[in-house]
Amino acid sequence: MTDQIVIDQDVTGQDLTVEVWSDVACPWCYIGKTRFQAALDRFENKDRVKVIWRSYQLAPETPVGEGRTELEALVEMKGMAPDQVRQMFSSVANTAAEVGLDLDFDTAIAANTFDAHRLLHLAGDKQADLLEALFKAHFSDGKVIDDREELVRIAVSVGLDADTVRAQLASDAAADAVREDLSMARQFQVSGVPFFVANRAIAVSGAQPEEVFLQLLTQASESA
């Protein structure tokens, strides 16, 4: 269930590098991250794997600070009836619950995720922890993740310095890095997320079952 892709750029420094394009406001990315982590925990060469989380925006046009609910945003974006969106949310929440995630779409606030992605680029070895905290803040705790002070609080919760993060968000720090990720996504013809690429050679799209991610890791390791 994995696809062979050809990508010219090289990623070095580890035996196996997995790059993941995802968006903080994407429930399937949250589910995919959880399933991938479960597969990685089972992978016998886990210590050889470097995971890089890359930026993607499903709704880059979302106004910062608008404060609409995810329900209102999707009704407008997809032209669906509210009851249809609620049914969709319920289905996703049930799938998430199967991997231990509690998604509360009733309180989820639509947000522009550009600053959150900037912060992820600036998080260093706290990147994965910060991504997990951002997912939980958005989908479980009803936090407004395009509010910079909220982003500071989330960053502090994973051990980052408040003053440093506040100054970074007030500047253009890592904006070019986010744009580079978005450009690479277009180059690689990524049309949906999550999107997993191992060693710039083998790709898997979507929140696949744990066994598919284990297969991805195994195939990439064998061909490294």
Side-chain angles (χ1 to χ4, degrees):
M1 297 181 67
T2 54
D3 299 321
Q4 297 287 339
I5 62 174
V6 177
I7 300 174
D8 293 335
Q9 294 175 327
D10 186 30
V11 174
T12 59
Q14 288 281 347
D15 294 325
L16 175 53
T17 299
V18 180
E19 296 165 275
V20 190
W21 274 263
S22 71
D23 194 7
V24 181
C26 164
W28 289 109
C29 295
Y30 196 8
I31 295 167
K33 179 181 185 295
T34 304
R35 289 174 173 172
F36 175 76
Q37 184 60 53
L40 184 59
D41 288 341
R42 292 172 53 196
F43 185 54
E44 61 181 358
N45 293 317
K46 176 183 177 181
D47 292 342
R48 294 172 48 202
V49 180
K50 179 179 181 179
V51 181
I52 301 172
W53 295 93
R54 298 210 176 275
S55 309
Y56 193 91
Q57 287 193 284
L58 288 170
E61 71 285 352
T62 301
V64 174
E66 187 175 46
R68 287 191 303 171
T69 65
E70 286 283 13
L71 174 65
E72 292 169 330
L74 276 179
V75 165
E76 179 178 327
M77 182 187 304
K78 295 186 176 294
M80 298 168 62
D83 284 347
Q84 287 180 294
V85 176
R86 290 189 185 95
Q87 289 175 359
M88 182 176 68
F89 283 163
S90 177
S91 176
V92 175
N94 288 337
T95 301
E98 294 173 1
V99 292
L101 301 178
D102 180 17
L103 274 56
D104 184 0
F105 286 103
D106 289 335
T107 62
I109 303 298
N112 188 299
T113 56
F114 193 86
D115 277 347
H117 285 303
R118 288 204 296 133
L119 192 53
L120 285 164
H121 272 282
L122 296 164
D125 61 4
K126 299 288 187 180
Q127 188 187 51
D129 292 339
L130 178 59
L131 179 58
E132 187 73 20
L134 286 165
F135 276 136
K136 183 177 183 298
H138 181 66
F139 285 110
S140 301
D141 301 335
K143 301 299 183 182
V144 182
I145 60 168
D146 58 6
D147 179 275
R148 289 183 175 176
E149 281 304 308
E150 188 62 59
L151 288 174
V152 170
R153 286 189 285 271
I154 296 168
V156 168
S157 76
V158 300
L160 298 176
D161 178 74
D163 290 339
T164 300
V165 170
R166 191 173 287 112
Q168 289 170 332
L169 289 173
S171 72
D172 289 329
D176 286 345
V178 175
R179 295 186 187 104
E180 176 65 19
D181 283 353
L182 300 176
S183 176
M184 280 194 288
R186 290 189 292 270
Q187 177 188 346
F188 303 161
Q189 298 182 338
V190 177
S191 58
V193 286
F195 189 79
F196 300 76
V197 181
N199 281 351
R200 297 280 174 97
I202 305 174
V204 163
S205 181
Q208 297 288 344
E210 185 180 324
E211 293 300 328
V212 174
F213 289 127
L214 191 59
Q215 179 188 359
L216 170 72
L217 293 166
T218 300
Q219 288 184 358
S221 179
E222 290 173 348
S223 61

